[in-house]
Coordinates of all heavy atoms in Angstrom, one line a residue:
E1 N -21.1 -221.4 120.2 CA -21.0 -221.2 121.6 C -22.3 -221.7 122.3 O -23.3 -221.4 121.8 CB -20.8 -219.7 121.8 CG -20.7 -219.4 123.3 CD -20.5 -217.9 123.5 OE1 -19.7 -217.2 122.7 OE2 -21.1 -217.3 124.5
N2 N -22.1 -222.4 123.4 CA -23.2 -222.9 124.1 C -23.5 -222.1 125.3 O -22.8 -222.0 126.2 CB -23.0 -224.4 124.7 CG -24.1 -225.0 125.3 OD1 -25.1 -224.4 125.5 ND2 -23.9 -226.2 125.8
D3 N -24.6 -221.2 125.2 CA -25.0 -220.3 126.3 C -26.1 -220.9 127.0 O -27.0 -220.1 127.6 CB -25.2 -218.9 125.8 CG -26.3 -218.8 124.7 OD1 -26.9 -219.9 124.4 OD2 -26.6 -217.7 124.3
Q4 N -26.4 -222.2 127.0 CA -27.6 -222.8 127.6 C -27.5 -222.5 129.1 O -26.5 -222.7 129.7 CB -27.6 -224.3 127.3 CG -28.8 -225.0 127.9 CD -28.9 -226.4 127.5 OE1 -28.1 -226.9 126.7 NE2 -30.0 -227.0 128.0
N5 N -28.6 -222.3 129.7 CA -28.7 -222.2 131.2 C -28.9 -223.4 131.8 O -29.9 -224.1 131.5 CB -29.9 -221.2 131.4 CG -30.1 -220.8 132.9 OD1 -30.3 -221.6 133.7 ND2 -30.0 -219.5 133.1
T6 N -28.0 -223.9 132.6 CA -28.2 -225.2 133.3 C -28.1 -225.0 134.8 O -27.2 -224.3 135.3 CB -27.0 -226.1 132.9 OG1 -27.0 -226.2 131.4 CG2 -27.1 -227.5 133.4
I7 N -29.0 -225.5 135.6 CA -29.1 -225.4 137.0 C -29.5 -226.7 137.6 O -30.2 -227.4 137.1 CB -30.1 -224.3 137.4 CG1 -30.1 -224.1 138.9 CG2 -31.4 -224.6 136.8 CD1 -30.9 -222.9 139.3
Y8 N -28.8 -227.0 138.7 CA -29.1 -228.3 139.4 C -28.6 -228.2 140.9 O -27.8 -227.3 141.2 CB -28.4 -229.5 138.7 CG -26.9 -229.5 138.6 CD1 -26.1 -230.0 139.6 CD2 -26.3 -229.0 137.5 CE1 -24.8 -230.1 139.5 CE2 -25.0 -229.0 137.4 CZ -24.2 -229.5 138.3 OH -22.8 -229.5 138.2
F9 N -29.2 -229.0 141.7 CA -29.0 -228.9 143.1 C -28.5 -230.3 143.6 O -29.2 -231.3 143.3 CB -30.3 -228.5 143.8 CG -30.2 -228.3 145.3 CD1 -29.7 -227.1 145.8 CD2 -30.5 -229.3 146.2 CE1 -29.6 -226.8 147.2 CE2 -30.4 -229.1 147.6 CZ -29.9 -227.9 148.0
L10 N -27.5 -230.4 144.4 CA -26.9 -231.6 144.9 C -27.0 -231.5 146.4 O -26.6 -230.6 147.0 CB -25.5 -231.9 144.5 CG -25.3 -232.0 142.9 CD1 -23.9 -232.1 142.7 CD2 -26.0 -233.3 142.4
C11 N -27.3 -232.6 147.1 CA -27.3 -232.7 148.5 C -25.9 -233.4 148.9 O -25.8 -234.6 148.4 CB -28.4 -233.4 149.1 SG -28.5 -233.5 150.9
Q12 N -25.0 -232.8 149.5 CA -23.7 -233.4 150.1 C -23.7 -233.3 151.5 O -23.3 -232.3 152.1 CB -22.6 -232.6 149.3 CG -22.7 -232.7 147.8 CD -21.5 -231.9 147.1 OE1 -21.0 -231.0 147.7 NE2 -21.1 -232.4 145.9
N13 N -24.0 -234.4 152.2 CA -24.0 -234.4 153.6 C -24.9 -233.4 154.2 O -26.1 -233.3 154.1 CB -22.6 -234.5 154.1 CG -21.8 -235.6 153.7 OD1 -22.3 -236.7 153.5 ND2 -20.5 -235.4 153.3
E14 N -24.3 -232.4 154.9 CA -25.0 -231.3 155.6 C -25.2 -230.1 154.8 O -25.8 -229.1 155.2 CB -24.4 -231.0 157.0 CG -24.2 -232.2 157.9 CD -25.5 -232.7 158.3 OE1 -26.5 -232.0 158.5 OE2 -25.5 -234.0 158.4
N15 N -24.8 -230.1 153.5 CA -24.9 -228.9 152.6 C -25.6 -229.3 151.3 O -25.4 -230.4 150.8 CB -23.5 -228.4 152.3 CG -22.8 -227.7 153.4 OD1 -23.5 -226.8 154.1 ND2 -21.6 -228.0 153.7
G16 N -26.4 -228.4 150.9 CA -26.9 -228.4 149.5 C -26.0 -227.5 148.7 O -25.6 -226.4 149.1
V17 N -25.7 -227.9 147.4 CA -24.9 -227.1 146.6 C -25.6 -226.8 145.2 O -26.1 -227.9 144.6 CB -23.5 -227.9 146.3 CG1 -22.7 -227.1 145.3 CG2 -22.8 -228.3 147.5
L18 N -25.8 -225.6 145.0 CA -26.5 -225.2 143.8 C -25.5 -224.8 142.8 O -24.6 -224.0 143.1 CB -27.4 -223.9 144.1 CG -28.1 -223.3 142.9 CD1 -29.2 -224.3 142.4 CD2 -28.6 -221.9 143.2
N19 N -25.5 -225.5 141.6 CA -24.6 -225.2 140.5 C -25.4 -224.6 139.4 O -26.4 -225.2 139.0 CB -23.8 -226.4 140.0 CG -22.8 -226.8 141.0 OD1 -21.9 -226.2 141.2 ND2 -23.1 -228.0 141.7
W20 N -25.1 -223.4 138.9 CA -25.8 -222.7 137.8 C -24.9 -222.3 136.8 O -24.1 -221.4 137.0 CB -26.5 -221.5 138.5 CG -27.7 -221.1 137.7 CD1 -27.8 -221.1 136.3 CD2 -28.8 -220.3 138.2 NE1 -29.0 -220.5 135.9 CE2 -29.6 -220.0 137.1 CE3 -29.2 -219.9 139.4 CZ2 -30.8 -219.3 137.3 CZ3 -30.3 -219.1 139.5 CH2 -31.1 -218.8 138.4
K21 N -25.0 -222.9 135.6 CA -24.2 -222.5 134.5 C -24.9 -221.4 133.7 O -26.1 -221.5 133.4 CB -23.9 -223.7 133.6 CG -23.0 -223.4 132.4 CD -22.8 -224.6 131.6 CE -22.0 -224.3 130.3 NZ -22.1 -225.4 129.4
N22 N -24.3 -220.3 133.4 CA -24.8 -219.2 132.6 C -26.1 -218.5 133.4 O -27.1 -218.3 132.7 CB -25.2 -219.6 131.2 CG -24.0 -220.0 130.4 OD1 -23.1 -219.2 130.4 ND2 -24.0 -221.1 129.7
C23 N -25.9 -218.4 134.7 CA -26.9 -217.7 135.4 C -27.1 -216.3 134.8 O -26.1 -215.5 134.5 CB -26.5 -217.7 136.9 SG -27.5 -216.7 138.0
P24 N -28.4 -215.8 134.7 CA -28.6 -214.5 134.2 C -28.2 -213.3 135.2 O -28.2 -212.2 134.8 CB -30.1 -214.5 133.8 CG -30.7 -215.6 134.6 CD -29.6 -216.5 134.8
G25 N -28.1 -213.7 136.5 CA -27.7 -212.8 137.4 C -29.0 -212.1 138.0 O -30.0 -212.0 137.4
G26 N -28.9 -211.6 139.3 CA -30.1 -211.1 140.0 C -30.2 -211.6 141.4 O -29.4 -212.3 141.9
K27 N -31.4 -211.2 142.0 CA -31.7 -211.7 143.3 C -32.7 -212.8 143.2 O -33.6 -212.8 142.4 CB -32.4 -210.6 144.1 CG -31.5 -209.4 144.4 CD -32.3 -208.4 145.2 CE -31.5 -207.2 145.5 NZ -30.2 -207.4 146.2
Y28 N -32.4 -213.9 144.0 CA -33.2 -215.2 143.9 C -33.5 -215.7 145.3 O -32.8 -215.2 146.3 CB -32.3 -216.3 143.2 CG -32.0 -215.9 141.7 CD1 -30.8 -215.2 141.5 CD2 -32.9 -216.2 140.7 CE1 -30.6 -214.9 140.2 CE2 -32.6 -215.9 139.5 CZ -31.5 -215.1 139.2 OH -31.2 -214.8 137.9
L29 N -34.5 -216.5 145.4 CA -34.9 -217.1 146.6 C -34.8 -218.6 146.4 O -35.3 -219.2 145.4 CB -36.4 -216.8 147.0 CG -36.9 -217.3 148.2 CD1 -36.2 -216.6 149.4 CD2 -38.4 -216.9 148.4
L30 N -34.1 -219.2 147.4 CA -34.0 -220.7 147.4 C -34.9 -221.2 148.5 O -34.8 -220.7 149.7 CB -32.6 -221.1 147.7 CG -32.3 -222.6 147.7 CD1 -30.9 -222.9 147.0 CD2 -32.3 -223.2 149.1
E31 N -35.8 -222.1 148.2 CA -36.8 -222.6 149.2 C -36.7 -224.1 149.3 O -36.5 -224.8 148.2 CB -38.3 -222.3 148.9 CG -38.5 -220.8 148.9 CD -39.9 -220.5 148.3 OE1 -40.3 -221.0 147.3 OE2 -40.5 -219.8 149.1
V32 N -36.8 -224.7 150.5 CA -36.8 -226.2 150.7 C -38.2 -226.5 151.3 O -38.5 -225.9 152.3 CB -35.7 -226.6 151.5 CG1 -35.8 -228.2 151.8 CG2 -34.3 -226.3 150.8
F33 N -38.8 -227.5 150.7 CA -40.2 -228.0 151.1 C -40.1 -229.4 151.6 O -39.3 -230.2 151.0 CB -41.2 -227.8 150.1 CG -41.5 -226.4 149.6 CD1 -40.6 -225.8 148.7 CD2 -42.4 -225.7 150.3 CE1 -40.8 -224.5 148.3 CE2 -42.7 -224.4 149.8 CZ -41.8 -223.8 148.8
D34 N -41.0 -229.9 152.5 CA -41.1 -231.4 152.7 C -42.0 -231.8 151.6 O -42.6 -231.0 150.8 CB -41.5 -231.7 154.1 CG -42.9 -231.1 154.5 OD1 -43.7 -230.8 153.6 OD2 -43.2 -231.1 155.6
L35 N -42.3 -233.1 151.6 CA -43.1 -233.7 150.5 C -44.7 -233.4 150.7 O -45.4 -233.6 149.7 CB -42.9 -235.2 150.4 CG -41.6 -235.6 149.9 CD1 -41.5 -237.1 149.8 CD2 -41.2 -234.9 148.6
Q36 N -45.0 -232.8 151.8 CA -46.4 -232.4 152.0 C -46.6 -230.9 151.6 O -47.7 -230.4 151.6 CB -46.7 -232.5 153.4 CG -47.1 -233.9 153.9 CD -45.7 -234.7 154.0 OE1 -44.8 -234.3 154.6 NE2 -45.7 -235.9 153.6
G37 N -45.5 -230.3 151.1 CA -45.6 -228.9 150.6 C -45.3 -227.9 151.7 O -45.4 -226.7 151.4
K38 N -44.9 -228.2 152.9 CA -44.6 -227.3 153.9 C -43.2 -226.8 153.7 O -42.2 -227.5 153.6 CB -44.6 -227.9 155.3 CG -44.4 -227.0 156.4 CD -44.5 -227.7 157.8 CE -44.0 -226.8 158.9 NZ -43.9 -227.4 160.1
R39 N -43.1 -225.4 153.7 CA -41.8 -224.7 153.5 C -41.0 -224.8 154.8 O -41.5 -224.3 155.8 CB -41.9 -223.3 153.0 CG -40.5 -222.6 152.7 CD -40.7 -221.3 152.0 NE -41.0 -220.3 153.0 CZ -40.9 -219.0 152.7 NH1 -40.7 -218.5 151.5 NH2 -41.2 -218.1 153.7
L40 N -39.9 -225.5 154.7 CA -39.0 -225.7 155.9 C -37.9 -224.7 156.1 O -37.5 -224.4 157.1 CB -38.4 -227.0 155.8 CG -39.4 -228.2 155.7 CD1 -38.6 -229.5 155.6 CD2 -40.3 -228.3 157.0
M41 N -37.5 -224.1 155.0 CA -36.4 -223.2 155.0 C -36.3 -222.3 153.7 O -36.9 -222.8 152.7 CB -35.0 -223.7 155.3 CG -34.5 -224.8 154.3 SD -33.0 -225.6 154.7 CE -31.8 -224.2 154.6
F42 N -35.8 -221.2 153.9 CA -35.6 -220.3 152.7 C -34.4 -219.4 152.9 O -34.0 -219.1 154.0 CB -36.9 -219.5 152.4 CG -37.2 -218.5 153.4 CD1 -36.8 -217.2 153.3 CD2 -38.0 -218.8 154.4 CE1 -37.2 -216.2 154.3 CE2 -38.3 -218.0 155.4 CZ -37.9 -216.6 155.3
Q43 N -33.8 -219.1 151.8 CA -32.6 -218.2 151.8 C -32.6 -217.4 150.5 O -32.7 -217.9 149.5 CB -31.4 -219.1 151.9 CG -30.1 -218.3 152.1 CD -29.0 -219.2 152.6 OE1 -29.1 -220.4 153.0 NE2 -27.8 -218.7 152.4
S44 N -32.4 -216.1 150.7 CA -32.2 -215.3 149.6 C -30.8 -215.1 149.2 O -29.8 -215.3 150.1 CB -32.9 -213.9 149.7 OG -32.2 -213.3 150.9
A45 N -30.5 -214.9 147.9 CA -29.1 -214.8 147.5 C -29.1 -213.9 146.2 O -30.1 -213.9 145.4 CB -28.6 -216.1 147.1
S46 N -28.0 -213.2 146.0 CA -27.8 -212.4 144.7 C -26.6 -213.1 144.0 O -25.5 -213.4 144.6 CB -27.4 -211.0 145.1 OG -28.4 -210.3 145.8
F47 N -26.9 -213.2 142.7 CA -25.9 -213.9 141.9 C -25.4 -213.0 140.8 O -26.2 -212.2 140.3 CB -26.5 -215.2 141.2 CG -26.8 -216.3 142.2 CD1 -28.1 -216.9 142.1 CD2 -26.0 -216.6 143.2 CE1 -28.4 -218.0 143.0 CE2 -26.2 -217.7 144.1 CZ -27.5 -218.3 144.0
E48 N -24.1 -213.1 140.5 CA -23.6 -212.3 139.3 C -24.0 -213.1 138.1 O -24.3 -214.3 138.2 CB -22.1 -212.2 139.4 CG -21.6 -211.4 140.6 CD -22.0 -210.0 140.5 OE1 -21.9 -209.4 139.5 OE2 -22.3 -209.4 141.6
K49 N -23.9 -212.5 136.9 CA -24.1 -213.2 135.6 C -22.9 -214.2 135.4 O -21.8 -213.7 135.8 CB -24.2 -212.2 134.6 CG -24.6 -212.7 133.2 CD -24.7 -211.7 132.2 CE -25.2 -212.4 130.9 NZ -25.5 -211.4 129.9
G50 N -23.2 -215.3 134.9 CA -22.2 -216.3 134.6 C -22.4 -217.6 135.5 O -23.4 -217.9 135.9
N51 N -21.3 -218.3 135.6 CA -21.3 -219.6 136.3 C -21.3 -219.4 137.8 O -20.4 -218.7 138.3 CB -20.2 -220.5 135.9 CG -20.3 -220.9 134.4 OD1 -21.4 -220.7 133.8 ND2 -19.3 -221.3 133.8
Q52 N -22.2 -219.9 138.5 CA -22.3 -219.7 140.0 C -22.4 -221.0 140.8 O -23.0 -221.9 140.3 CB -23.5 -218.9 140.3 CG -23.5 -217.5 139.7 CD -22.4 -216.6 140.2 OE1 -22.1 -216.6 141.4 NE2 -21.9 -215.9 139.4
T53 N -21.8 -221.1 141.9 CA -22.0 -222.2 142.9 C -22.3 -221.6 144.2 O -21.8 -220.6 144.6 CB -20.7 -222.9 143.1 OG1 -20.2 -223.4 141.8 CG2 -20.8 -224.1 144.0
F54 N -23.4 -222.1 144.8 CA -23.9 -221.5 146.1 C -24.1 -222.8 147.0 O -24.8 -223.7 146.7 CB -25.2 -220.8 145.8 CG -25.8 -220.1 146.9 CD1 -25.3 -219.0 147.5 CD2 -27.0 -220.7 147.5 CE1 -25.9 -218.4 148.6 CE2 -27.6 -220.1 148.5 CZ -27.1 -218.9 149.2
Q55 N -23.7 -222.6 148.3 CA -24.0 -223.7 149.2 C -25.0 -223.1 150.3 O -25.0 -222.0 150.6 CB -22.6 -223.9 150.1 CG -21.7 -224.7 149.3 CD -20.7 -225.5 150.2 OE1 -20.7 -225.2 151.4 NE2 -20.0 -226.4 149.6
V56 N -25.8 -224.0 150.7 CA -26.8 -223.8 151.6 C -26.8 -224.9 152.7 O -26.6 -226.0 152.4 CB -28.3 -223.6 151.0 CG1 -28.7 -224.9 150.3 CG2 -29.3 -223.3 152.1
G57 N -26.8 -224.6 154.0 CA -26.7 -225.5 155.0 C -28.0 -226.2 155.2 O -29.1 -225.6 155.3
L58 N -27.9 -227.6 155.3 CA -29.1 -228.4 155.5 C -29.1 -229.1 156.8 O -29.7 -230.1 157.0 CB -29.2 -229.4 154.3 CG -29.3 -228.9 152.9 CD1 -29.2 -230.0 151.9 CD2 -30.5 -228.0 152.8
V59 N -28.2 -228.7 157.7 CA -28.0 -229.4 159.0 C -29.4 -229.5 159.8 O -29.5 -230.5 160.5 CB -26.9 -228.7 159.8 CG1 -27.3 -227.4 160.3 CG2 -26.5 -229.7 160.9
A60 N -30.2 -228.6 159.6 CA -31.5 -228.6 160.3 C -32.5 -229.7 159.8 O -33.5 -230.0 160.5 CB -32.1 -227.2 160.3
L61 N -32.2 -230.2 158.6 CA -33.1 -231.2 158.0 C -32.7 -232.6 158.5 O -31.6 -232.9 158.4 CB -33.1 -231.2 156.6 CG -33.6 -229.8 155.9 CD1 -33.4 -229.9 154.4 CD2 -34.9 -229.4 156.4
S62 N -33.7 -233.4 158.8 CA -33.5 -234.8 159.1 C -33.4 -235.5 157.8 O -33.7 -235.0 156.7 CB -34.5 -235.4 160.1 OG -35.8 -235.2 159.5
A63 N -32.9 -236.8 157.9 CA -32.9 -237.6 156.6 C -34.2 -237.7 156.0 O -35.2 -237.8 156.7 CB -32.2 -239.0 157.0
G64 N -34.2 -237.7 154.7 CA -35.5 -237.8 154.0 C -35.4 -237.1 152.6 O -34.4 -236.7 152.1
T65 N -36.7 -237.1 151.9 CA -36.7 -236.5 150.6 C -37.4 -235.2 150.7 O -38.4 -235.0 151.5 CB -37.6 -237.5 149.7 OG1 -36.9 -238.7 149.7 CG2 -37.6 -236.9 148.3
Y66 N -36.9 -234.2 150.0 CA -37.3 -232.8 150.0 C -37.4 -232.3 148.6 O -36.8 -232.9 147.6 CB -36.3 -232.0 150.8 CG -36.2 -232.4 152.3 CD1 -35.2 -233.3 152.6 CD2 -37.1 -232.0 153.2 CE1 -35.1 -233.8 154.0 CE2 -37.0 -232.4 154.5 CZ -36.0 -233.3 154.9 OH -35.9 -233.7 156.2
S67 N -38.1 -231.1 148.5 CA -38.1 -230.4 147.2 C -37.4 -229.1 147.4 O -37.6 -228.5 148.4 CB -39.6 -230.2 146.8 OG -39.8 -229.4 145.7
V68 N -36.6 -228.7 146.4 CA -36.0 -227.4 146.4 C -36.5 -226.6 145.2 O -36.9 -227.2 144.2 CB -34.4 -227.6 146.3 CG1 -34.0 -228.2 145.1 CG2 -33.8 -226.2 146.5
R69 N -36.6 -225.3 145.4 CA -37.1 -224.4 144.4 C -36.3 -223.2 144.4 O -36.0 -222.6 145.5 CB -38.7 -224.1 144.7 CG -39.3 -223.3 143.6 CD -40.8 -223.3 143.9 NE -41.2 -222.4 144.9 CZ -42.4 -222.0 145.3 NH1 -43.5 -222.5 144.6 NH2 -42.7 -221.2 146.1
I70 N -36.0 -222.7 143.2 CA -35.2 -221.5 143.0 C -36.2 -220.6 142.2 O -36.6 -221.0 141.2 CB -33.8 -221.7 142.2 CG1 -33.0 -222.8 142.8 CG2 -33.1 -220.4 142.2 CD1 -32.6 -222.6 144.2
L71 N -36.4 -219.3 142.8 CA -37.2 -218.4 142.0 C -36.8 -217.0 142.1 O -36.0 -216.7 143.0 CB -38.7 -218.6 142.3 CG -39.1 -218.3 143.8 CD1 -40.5 -217.8 144.0 CD2 -38.9 -219.5 144.7
D72 N -37.3 -216.2 141.1 CA -37.1 -214.7 141.3 C -38.4 -214.1 140.8 O -39.4 -214.7 140.7 CB -35.9 -214.3 140.4 CG -36.1 -214.5 138.9 OD1 -37.3 -214.9 138.5 OD2 -35.2 -214.1 138.1
E73 N -38.4 -212.8 140.6 CA -39.7 -212.1 140.2 C -40.2 -212.6 138.9 O -41.4 -212.3 138.7 CB -39.5 -210.5 140.4 CG -38.7 -210.0 139.2 CD -37.2 -210.1 139.3 OE1 -36.8 -210.5 140.5 OE2 -36.4 -209.6 138.5
K74 N -39.5 -213.2 138.1 CA -39.9 -213.7 136.8 C -40.5 -215.0 136.9 O -41.2 -215.5 136.0 CB -38.8 -213.7 135.8 CG -38.2 -212.3 135.5 CD -37.0 -212.4 134.5 CE -36.3 -211.1 134.4 NZ -35.0 -211.1 134.9
G75 N -40.2 -215.7 137.9 CA -40.8 -217.1 138.0 C -39.9 -218.1 138.6 O -38.8 -217.8 139.2
I76 N -40.2 -219.4 138.4 CA -39.4 -220.5 138.9 C -38.3 -220.9 138.0 O -38.7 -221.1 136.8 CB -40.3 -221.7 139.3 CG1 -41.3 -221.2 140.4 CG2 -39.5 -222.9 139.8 CD1 -42.4 -222.3 140.7
W77 N -37.1 -221.0 138.4 CA -35.9 -221.5 137.6 C -35.7 -222.9 137.8 O -35.2 -223.6 136.9 CB -34.7 -220.7 137.9 CG -34.8 -219.2 137.5 CD1 -35.3 -218.2 138.2 CD2 -34.3 -218.7 136.2 NE1 -35.2 -217.1 137.4 CE2 -34.6 -217.4 136.3 CE3 -33.7 -219.3 135.1 CZ2 -34.3 -216.5 135.2 CZ3 -33.4 -218.5 134.1 CH2 -33.7 -217.1 134.1
L78 N -36.0 -223.4 138.9 CA -35.7 -224.8 139.3 C -36.6 -225.4 140.3 O -37.0 -224.7 141.2 CB -34.3 -225.0 139.9 CG -33.9 -226.4 140.4 CD1 -33.6 -227.3 139.2 CD2 -32.7 -226.3 141.3
K79 N -37.2 -226.6 140.0 CA -38.0 -227.3 141.0 C -37.5 -228.7 141.0 O -37.6 -229.3 139.9 CB -39.5 -227.2 140.7 CG -40.4 -227.6 141.8 CD -41.8 -227.2 141.5 CE -42.6 -227.8 142.7 NZ -44.1 -227.4 142.5
Q80 N -37.0 -229.2 142.0 CA -36.3 -230.5 142.0 C -36.4 -231.2 143.3 O -36.4 -230.6 144.4 CB -34.8 -230.3 141.6 CG -33.9 -231.5 141.7 CD -32.4 -231.1 141.6 OE1 -32.1 -230.3 140.7 NE2 -31.6 -231.7 142.4
L81 N -36.4 -232.5 143.3 CA -36.4 -233.4 144.5 C -35.0 -233.7 144.8 O -34.1 -233.8 143.9 CB -37.2 -234.6 144.3 CG -38.7 -234.6 144.2 CD1 -39.3 -235.9 144.0 CD2 -39.3 -233.9 145.3
F82 N -34.7 -233.8 146.2 CA -33.3 -234.3 146.5 C -33.5 -235.1 147.8 O -34.6 -235.0 148.5 CB -32.3 -233.2 146.8 CG -32.6 -232.3 148.0 CD1 -32.0 -232.6 149.2 CD2 -33.4 -231.2 147.9 CE1 -32.2 -231.8 150.3 CE2 -33.7 -230.4 149.0 CZ -33.0 -230.7 150.2
V83 N -32.6 -236.0 148.1 CA -32.6 -236.9 149.2 C -31.4 -236.5 150.2 O -30.3 -236.4 149.7 CB -32.5 -238.4 148.8 CG1 -32.5 -239.3 150.1 CG2 -33.7 -238.8 147.9
K84 N -31.8 -236.3 151.5 CA -30.8 -236.1 152.4 C -30.6 -237.5 153.2 O -31.6 -238.0 153.7 CB -31.1 -235.0 153.4 CG -29.9 -234.8 154.4 CD -30.2 -233.7 155.4 CE -29.0 -233.6 156.3 NZ -29.4 -232.8 157.5
Y85 N -29.4 -238.0 153.3 CA -29.2 -239.3 154.0 C -28.7 -239.0 155.4 O -28.1 -238.0 155.7 CB -28.1 -240.1 153.2 CG -28.6 -240.5 151.8 CD1 -28.2 -239.8 150.8 CD2 -29.5 -241.6 151.8 CE1 -28.8 -240.2 149.5 CE2 -29.9 -242.0 150.5 CZ -29.6 -241.3 149.4 OH -30.1 -241.7 148.1

């Protein structure tokens, strides 16, 4: 049985989609930064244990490259760049 934790973030037009396979569950914070490190938006979310999909609106962001970070009280689960066209 593969219980590997897999997490990734995709930018689809005006939405970002977080896909998390085998999420441990709990409260998380999703943050988006510009490439200078300025936090542009954040959103908290509670996830159940298991496979999760979460959408976040990116309509306020202009086209460009950004960094997304997912964290909880234990630390950072994901840090990834994405491009909004």
